Amino acid sequence: LHLDLTEIGLIQAGFTDITLGSGLPTQAIVVNGTAGTLVFKDPLIINATGIGNTVAVSGGLNGDTLTVQGNLTNTITTLTAAAISMAGNVTVNGLIQVTAGVNVITAGNTANDGVTGSLRITGNIAGSAATGETLALVSESNVVVAGTVLGIDALTVTAGTDVTFNETVSITGNLVIHASGAVKFDKSLTLTAGGTLTINGASSVVFANGAMVTVDGNLTIDTETLSLLGGANSLSSTVPNSTLTFTSKTTTNNIMVGSAVGNELAGALNLT
């Protein structure tokens, strides 16, 4: 089955959803927006639940909402210079494989439209052993990555509220997070190849129990509250001349260093 740009444009709005694929095995579902952005006016469901099913997205893909139905062990969604942008939620089940180029997934692309998009990835994010594999995750609401992040060259996350990584994150490059809510790492974070960590505007940053942070470059953390629960050497850089910068996102920019627990300065970034 092949649908070109003209045929997709003939699909009128008003369907409950539009589904591509089924539960049959070994299906390849290809969404190619390189010749022109593909626009689906109703919720788009990509059914890749069958064993051995694959999804490939390249170029522009716009629409209402997007759900990739798959499973954690078999479904692979490959992004090649993909620009996915939805007005509402985006959910991807299974592995996301990032190839060379700039890849962007946006949930909630229209401000003040009454719809708040959230972005959830239930599986892992992995590179393809190429160079220049970058991924940007953008959401009006929260971003959740439930699986591991491994082998990509750069990751940028922009969220209207919270950002959560449930498993280990290992990137051969920079990690940049812009979030107004809580940023949480449940497992360890490792940045190699000169990778730097930058977190901007967070209400809180939490590295959970056992979560160690190791980078090859500088660390900059801008937040109201910082919790390092990984124990000794929770934050470290492998580069001798790297810098560690803490800033407070509050309007007064107060920072209290060395305050006793229970005597923290209200409205400040307290390093106890």
Side-chain angles (χ1 to χ4, degrees):
L1 174 64
H2 175 268
L3 296 175
D4 63 21
L5 278 170
T6 301
E7 291 165 326
I8 291 175
L10 296 175
I11 301 175
Q12 298 300 302
F15 293 100
T16 301
D17 59 65
I18 299 171
T19 299
L20 305 178
S22 69
L24 295 175
T26 63
Q27 293 184 99
I29 302 170
V30 179
V31 182
N32 187 344
T34 56
T37 298
L38 303 176
V39 179
F40 290 87
K41 303 178 181 68
D42 298 305
L44 177 61
I45 298 173
I46 298 178
N47 186 347
T49 55
I51 296 175
N53 286 359
T54 61
V55 180
V57 181
S58 56
L61 173 61
N62 289 7
D64 183 76
T65 63
L66 172 64
T67 303
V68 178
Q69 297 177 337
N71 56 74
L72 299 180
T73 56
N74 293 306
T75 304
I76 300 175
T77 299
T78 301
L79 305 181
T80 304
I84 300 170
S85 183
M86 297 289 152
N89 298 335
V90 175
T91 302
V92 180
N93 297 310
L95 169 69
I96 291 181
Q97 186 171 68
V98 180
T99 63
V102 178
N103 297 276
V104 183
I105 303 176
T106 301
N109 60 13
T110 306
N112 303 318
D113 63 350
V115 178
T116 301
S118 63
L119 174 54
R120 180 174 180 84
I121 298 168
T122 66
N124 301 334
I125 298 173
S128 60
T131 57
E133 301 166 335
T134 68
L135 177 63
L137 304 176
V138 182
S139 172
E140 281 184 317
S141 181
N142 62 313
V143 174
V144 177
V145 180
T148 62
V149 181
L150 176 65
I152 63 175
D153 297 319
L155 175 62
T156 301
V157 182
T158 303
T161 55
D162 304 335
V163 175
T164 304
F165 294 95
N166 293 144
E167 296 294 336
T168 57
V169 177
S170 181
I171 298 171
T172 54
N174 301 333
L175 172 58
V176 178
I177 298 175
H178 305 277
S180 63
V183 176
K184 185 180 181 185
F185 292 84
D186 290 331
K187 300 289 180 63
S188 293
L189 167 65
T190 304
L191 305 179
T192 58
T196 62
L197 172 64
T198 304
I199 301 176
N200 289 317
S203 61
S204 65
V205 175
V206 177
F207 295 97
N209 184 25
M212 309 297 289
V213 182
T214 306
V215 304
D216 272 356
N218 301 329
L219 299 98
T220 301
I221 299 177
D222 176 49
T223 183
E224 294 175 352
T225 304
L226 174 63
S227 300
L228 301 175
L229 307 178
N233 303 314
S234 291
L235 286 180
S236 64
S237 175
T238 59
V239 180
N241 61 350
S242 63
T243 63
L244 173 59
T245 304
F246 293 116
T247 59
S248 173
K249 67 161 285 188
T250 58
T251 55
T252 54
N253 294 315
N254 292 319
I255 299 177
M256 174 68 77
V257 179
S259 60
V261 174
N263 295 321
E264 293 87 352
L265 179 64
L269 168 60
N270 292 277
L271 305 177
T272 59

